[in-house]
Amino acid sequence: MEVKIEESWKKVLQEEFDKEYFASLVDFVRNAYKTTKVYPKGANIFNAFNLCPFDNVKLVIIGQDPYHEEGQAQGLCFSVPDDVAIPPSLNNIYKELHDDLGIEIPQSGDLTRWARQGVLLLNATLTVQAHLAGSHQGRGWETFTDAVIKIVSEKRENVVFLLWGAYAIKKSALIDRTKHLILTSPHPSPLSAYRGFFGNKHFSKANNYLREHGILEINW
């Protein structure tokens, strides 16, 4: 199947695109966009990949679902466009960044600048029906994004994986710990951030690891 995605990703993911489950997923997604309101915009479904080519991946952050309210989702986990209010989880991410590295809390929730530096901002499910969290789960997206994680683990070295919350932490089973750094903590959601997300120092730990392996650190 021909999928509009950045070329280096197309090369390593073509086997997935040719599988039966992916054809069924594409049929479901196309029909959903025709019959319901779906986020993000179709052109942004693979935004995380288009902004962060495969060979550029230094760090992976795993989210669950795209935001499901108008104007929020842009194909990058935790990220929202400039003119959209910063969601609570991202606000807590910014607070931890400030406490960890002394970085001033940004006024914008757009994380495109991270993606362009090699941060793969990957949601496990890449589409969602408006106002219905989790509505496109179990349709094949998770099979695809699990394959993405496995391929990064197998074909790359010294990548940092930030796994926040129980859902993301389960993905550690897909990652080779002998080649990569896995950092886990509770989710940055207001419901759990005080249980160990705050104070995890993942941003400085990630940069220290990259620096130790001769990789340019992330300018958070």
Side-chain angles (χ1 to χ4, degrees):
M1 177 175 289
E2 185 67 20
V3 176
K4 289 183 180 176
I5 194 171
E6 192 274 335
E7 278 301 317
S8 63
W9 282 107
K10 182 179 285 190
K11 192 180 296 183
V12 296
L13 292 172
Q14 189 59 55
E15 280 187 25
E16 293 304 307
F17 298 147
D18 292 337
K19 289 179 180 176
E20 194 172 320
Y21 86 86
F22 197 84
S24 298
L25 171 61
V26 168
D27 287 343
F28 166 75
V29 170
R30 280 180 179 155
N31 186 62
Y33 273 91
K34 285 177 188 171
T35 58
T36 61
K37 184 73 173 173
V38 177
Y39 301 126
K41 293 176 183 175
N44 285 340
I45 292 174
F46 294 112
N47 203 22
F49 302 89
N50 295 335
L51 289 169
C52 181
F54 179 72
D55 293 332
N56 290 5
V57 177
K58 301 174 183 179
L59 188 145
V60 180
I61 299 177
I62 298 173
Q64 193 162 349
D65 247 18
Y67 295 118
H68 54 265
E69 299 300 334
E70 180 69 37
Q72 291 182 307
Q74 56 176 172
L76 305 171
C77 72
F78 293 106
S79 180
V80 291
D82 261 340
D83 54 351
V84 174
I86 296 174
S89 290
L90 180 54
N91 198 42
N92 285 338
I93 289 169
Y94 281 167
K95 284 180 183 175
E96 176 57 25
L97 255 176
H98 175 267
D99 292 346
D100 185 9
L101 291 170
I103 291 170
E104 189 173 337
I105 293 177
Q107 298 301 304
S108 168
D110 188 346
L111 302 181
T112 298
R113 66 191 185 281
W114 291 6
R116 292 192 191 283
Q117 293 181 72
V119 180
L120 181 65
L121 295 164
L122 181 67
N123 275 317
T125 303
L126 299 187
T127 56
V128 68
Q129 186 174 332
H131 320 305
L132 287 174
S135 50
H136 287 188
Q137 291 176 8
R139 297 288 187 163
W141 277 130
E142 297 93 335
T143 304
F144 172 69
T145 54
D146 279 0
V148 169
I149 295 165
K150 283 182 191 173
I151 287 167
V152 171
S153 175
E154 288 168 7
K155 294 183 179 290
R156 296 294 313 281
E157 292 184 359
N158 306 133
V159 173
V160 182
F161 291 83
L162 302 187
L163 308 182
W164 298 330
Y167 184 88
I169 289 169
K170 286 178 184 173
K171 305 296 183 183
S172 63
L174 307 170
I175 303 161
D176 184 347
R177 292 174 178 271
T178 67
K179 296 168 60 182
H180 306 288
L181 176 64
I182 301 172
L183 297 174
T184 64
S185 82
H187 196 275
S189 156
L191 299 173
S192 55
Y194 287 95
R195 297 185 201 143
F197 177 79
F198 289 136
N200 67 22
K201 299 195 179 298
H202 279 185
F203 303 101
S204 59
K205 288 175 181 176
N207 273 353
N208 288 341
Y209 178 84
L210 293 173
R211 196 162 52 244
E212 285 167 8
H213 289 85
I215 301 165
L216 187 65
E217 59 196 67
I218 307 298
N219 179 10
W220 300 105

